[in-house]
């Protein structure tokens, strides 16, 4: 195998020598990484942010609230499925500490906060006819607390954790969850539409489907690609139904900007690039997987769900045209790029040479990738919001540069694409939290959480973010 590899590298290098001289034997990616410079605040174009730009920080119910005891994730953790054996427990105890955390968001000059609603907390029983009153009252108070601080909520309805009953009954596989989700969305929009103008139906549908049904690292822990594809398709149907339900019942413009309900999806976008640009195999593989990973949802959304894909969803019997034109914005979740190299016959190497600045989860900090993925989805002609961007960094050595670098790229994108509205940037996350299968180790917070005492301490990067937002919003 290494022989084949060596010969291939030799041929590739020879081609490179002919085309570009000596340095072309070294993959340009390596040169870029080694010669990269630190970003400075001067690289941010502060004129690129409109007055209504959404400046936020993120959270999700299962990762932050704590005691999400009726969720499938809760049971999954108790069954020992996290890498460290940790369970979410009280998580960051956001359910009880949201007032103080919203004060923190306010002290960072933010005007937006992203939460998700725990479907399991709101509808713990299989019969969805009656929501749990305590849970409803809790969210009532949380939304009122945001309104009191002039913080606009950005609300995700489906952020990985599901009611346990729903997963136990395989309802995403059979498609029965589509109607459940529509009901849930309708309820939430009816109840809290007066507070909420920004709705994210589903967070990272491809991650949910593939981690849960193909890679088996999320509940229900299955490893069947066919099922994963069915679930993915059912999520599309569910999004379509939820979109129309929300539009129907949330007619209240909460903040007076003329918008009552803007509904989108938040997609994990990953630029997939070849390790060696002279190498046709890498180039083709990267190009194809880049398209499939990042745009398949949006492509299908543009044409509705065509009959041709229906056979992949065994629970589905008929096409559902209402998926068409159901995006008021695209939520861009961006963390890193993926460099790929294929070693014959078909060994796929992700990250062939793991160099560059990396967070504790191993993700390369690569701000230019934000520009690339925004450009990739700009073709769909809807506004973009960066709904997640952040880095696992317990020592806070990377976070400030990360924020500066990504905002510089965001404004470079705005300047280069005046026709594409970019409406917001939400940093992931306000505080440390439970990071799914990775437990409490990865630290994404602008605020550090001591999980023994649940005390919060601002990390130095939070002041850098607060200063940038103040300058952008003209608050200084
Ligand atoms: C995203 C998830 C979010 C968080 C970050 C680090 O993919 O949406 O919940 O775990 O990764």
């Amino acid at each position: 195998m290494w022989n084949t590899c060596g010969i291939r590298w030799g041929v590739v290098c020879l081609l490179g020598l002919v085309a570009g001289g000596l340095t072309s034997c070294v993959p340009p990616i390596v040169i870029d990484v080694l010669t990269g410079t630190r970003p400075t605040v001067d690289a941010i174009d502060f004129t690129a942010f409109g007055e209504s730009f959404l400046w936020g920080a993120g959270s999700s119910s299962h990762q932050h609230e704590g005691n999400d005891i009726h969720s499938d994730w809760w049971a999954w953790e108790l069954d020992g499925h996290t890498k460290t054996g940790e369970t979410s427990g009280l998580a960051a105890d956001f359910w009880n500490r949201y007032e103080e955390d919203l004060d923190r968001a306010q002290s960072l000059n933010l005007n937006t906060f992203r939460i998700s609603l725990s479907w399991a907390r709101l509808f713990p029983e299989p019969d969805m006819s009656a929501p749990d009153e305590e849970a409803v009252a809790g969210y009532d108070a949380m939304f009122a607390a945001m309104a009191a601080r002039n913080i606009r909520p950005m609300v995700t309805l489906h952020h990985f954790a599901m009611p346990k009953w729903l997963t136990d009954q395989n309802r995403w596989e059979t498609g029965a969850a589509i109607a459940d989700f529509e009901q849930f969305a309708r309820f939430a929009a009816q109840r809290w539409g007066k507070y909420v103008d920004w709705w994210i139906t589903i967070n990272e549908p491809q991650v949910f489907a593939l981690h849960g049904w193909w890679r088996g690292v999320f509940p229900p822990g299955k490893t069947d690609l066919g099922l994963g594809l069915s679930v993915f398709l059912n999520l599309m149907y569910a999004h379509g139904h939820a979109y129309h339900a929300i539009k129907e019942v949330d007619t209240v413009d909460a903040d007076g900007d003329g918008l009552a309900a803007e509904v989108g999806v938040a997609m994990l976008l990953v630029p997939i690039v070849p390790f060696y640009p002279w190498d046709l195999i890498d180039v083709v593989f990267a190009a194809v997987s880049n398209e499939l990973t990042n745009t398949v949802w949006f492509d299908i959304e543009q044409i509705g769900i065509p009959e041709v894909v229906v056979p992949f969803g065994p629970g589905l019997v008929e096409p559902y045209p209402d998926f068409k034109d159901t995006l008021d914005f695209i939520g861009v979740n961006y963390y890193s790029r993926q460099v790929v190299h294929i070693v014959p016959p078909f060994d796929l190497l992700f990250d062939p040479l793991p160099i560059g600045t990396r967070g504790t989860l191993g993700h390369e900090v690569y701000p230019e990738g934000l520009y690339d993925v925004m450009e990739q989805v700009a073709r769909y002609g809807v506004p973009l919001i960066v709904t997640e961007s952040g880095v696992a960094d317990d020592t806070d050595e990377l976070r400030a540069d990360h924020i500066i670098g990504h905002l510089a790229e965001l404004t470079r994108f705005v300047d280069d694409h005046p026709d594409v509205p970019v409406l917001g940037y939400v940093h992931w996350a306000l505080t440390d939290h439970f990071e799914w299968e990775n437990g409490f180790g990865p630290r994404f917070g602008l605020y550090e959480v001591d999980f023994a005492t649940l005390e919060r301490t601002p990390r130095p990067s939070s002041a850098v973010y607060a200063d940038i937002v103040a300058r952008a919003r003209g608050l200084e």
Side-chain angles (χ1 to χ4, degrees):
M1 147 113 57
W2 287 109
N3 255 350
T4 335
C5 198
I7 293 167
R8 181 158 155 245
W9 184 83
V11 172
V12 159
C13 186
L14 208 69
L15 281 176
L17 277 174
V18 174
L22 236 191
T23 50
S24 52
C25 278
V26 183
I29 279 184
V30 176
I31 298 177
D32 283 356
V33 167
L34 297 179
T35 55
T37 49
R38 268 185 88 170
T40 63
V41 176
D42 296 339
I44 300 173
D45 173 7
F46 282 86
T47 65
F49 307 109
E51 223 173 88
S52 58
F53 194 83
L54 302 161
W55 287 101
S59 71
S60 86
S61 51
H62 188 79
Q63 293 176 279
H64 288 82
E65 287 177 359
N67 277 332
D68 196 13
I69 58 173
H70 298 291
S71 67
D72 57 354
W73 262 91
W74 185 268
W76 179 250
E77 292 151 26
L78 289 177
D79 276 352
H81 287 291
T82 56
K83 288 182 191 161
T84 54
E86 287 167 304
T87 54
S88 55
L90 277 178
D93 196 28
F94 183 72
W95 188 251
N96 296 306
R97 292 168 197 253
Y98 62 82
E99 293 267 4
E100 46 167 297
D101 278 351
L102 291 172
D103 285 344
R104 291 185 178 98
Q106 203 178 22
S107 76
L108 299 185
N109 304 312
L110 305 182
N111 58 12
T112 301
F113 193 69
R114 183 176 170 206
I115 61 164
S116 74
L117 300 173
S118 167
W119 185 354
R121 193 189 290 281
L122 284 163
F123 293 96
E125 302 296 331
D127 173 7
M128 284 197 55
S129 59
D132 182 85
E133 279 177 22
E134 211 181 303
V136 175
Y139 284 120
D140 281 348
M142 199 184 286
F143 282 119
M146 286 192 224
R149 291 165 178 79
N150 279 325
I151 290 182
R152 285 176 278 186
M154 187 180 285
V155 177
T156 312
L157 295 170
H158 178 308
H159 198 129
F160 297 164
M162 292 290 107
K164 184 170 180 305
W165 58 264
L166 187 136
T167 304
D168 287 348
Q169 294 178 18
N170 300 323
R171 291 174 83 81
W172 279 117
E173 291 167 33
T174 61
I178 297 169
D180 302 332
F181 188 61
E182 178 179 357
Q183 204 181 326
F184 173 45
R186 188 180 297 277
F187 170 81
Q190 213 146 28
R191 179 90 194 183
W192 296 300
K194 64 179 177 200
Y195 293 114
V196 184
D197 291 343
W198 299 96
W199 297 95
I200 294 168
T201 54
I202 304 175
N203 182 70
E204 300 182 355
Q206 82 278 45
V207 174
F208 174 79
L210 297 181
H211 278 22
W213 282 268
W214 183 36
R215 289 192 53 221
V217 294
F218 280 13
K222 298 192 178 170
T223 48
D224 177 335
L225 182 58
L227 277 182
L229 293 176
S230 305
V231 169
F232 187 65
L233 210 56
N234 284 333
L235 292 168
M236 291 180 172
Y237 284 69
H239 164 84
H241 280 273
Y243 178 93
H244 294 292
I246 296 169
K247 294 295 227 190
E248 204 182 300
V249 297
D250 177 3
T251 51
V252 183
D253 173 7
D255 57 12
D257 65 357
L259 305 171
E262 293 298 281
V263 185
V265 70
M267 197 66 79
L268 179 68
L269 297 178
V270 185
I272 301 178
V273 294
F275 184 52
Y276 212 104
W278 302 117
D279 190 323
L280 203 60
I281 306 179
D282 285 1
V283 171
V284 170
F285 179 80
V288 171
S289 44
N290 189 53
E291 274 304 297
L292 278 179
T293 309
N294 294 327
T295 61
V296 69
W297 177 282
F298 305 117
D299 287 338
I300 296 179
E301 185 262 348
Q302 294 253 306
I303 45 177
I305 294 187
E307 304 213 14
V308 67
V309 294
V310 170
F312 292 106
L316 304 172
V317 278
E318 54 189 48
Y320 181 67
D322 284 8
F323 183 52
K324 191 164 159 46
D325 297 330
T326 54
L327 282 178
D328 299 329
F329 65 88
I330 289 176
V332 174
N333 286 6
Y334 171 70
Y335 287 91
S336 192
R337 69 174 162 183
Q338 187 74 73
V339 180
V340 290
H341 180 47
I342 306 226
V343 183
F346 198 80
D347 258 359
L348 179 56
L349 294 187
F350 286 112
D351 253 356
L353 206 62
I355 53 175
T357 312
R358 282 165 189 265
T360 50
L361 274 179
H363 296 140
E364 178 191 0
V365 177
Y366 182 64
E368 295 88 337
L370 178 62
Y371 184 104
D372 297 341
V373 290
M374 289 174 82
E375 191 158 63
Q376 200 179 359
V377 295
R379 66 170 94 134
Y380 299 105
V382 294
L384 308 180
I385 299 177
V386 178
T387 38
E388 282 183 33
S389 162
V391 61
D393 174 22
D394 46 353
T395 56
D396 206 39
E397 279 161 48
L398 309 178
R399 193 168 286 102
D401 280 359
H402 184 281
I403 292 169
I404 294 167
H406 285 74
L407 287 173
E409 284 300 310
L410 185 145
T411 58
R412 186 167 72 88
F413 177 84
V414 172
D415 293 340
D416 289 353
H417 303 82
D419 299 339
V420 184
V422 177
L423 307 181
Y425 170 88
V426 177
H427 188 80
W428 184 271
L430 182 73
T431 66
D432 291 337
H433 51 268
F434 178 76
E435 183 50 37
W436 307 113
E437 76 275 27
N438 295 300
F440 286 104
R443 301 300 190 112
F444 279 91
L446 292 161
Y447 285 80
E448 180 181 353
V449 175
D450 175 340
F451 288 105
T453 61
L454 293 164
E455 234 172 81
R456 280 89 158 123
T457 312
R459 294 199 163 102
S461 56
S462 65
V464 173
Y465 187 37
D467 285 350
I468 291 174
V469 179
R471 187 163 155 196
R473 295 186 63 199
L475 303 175
E476 308 179 309

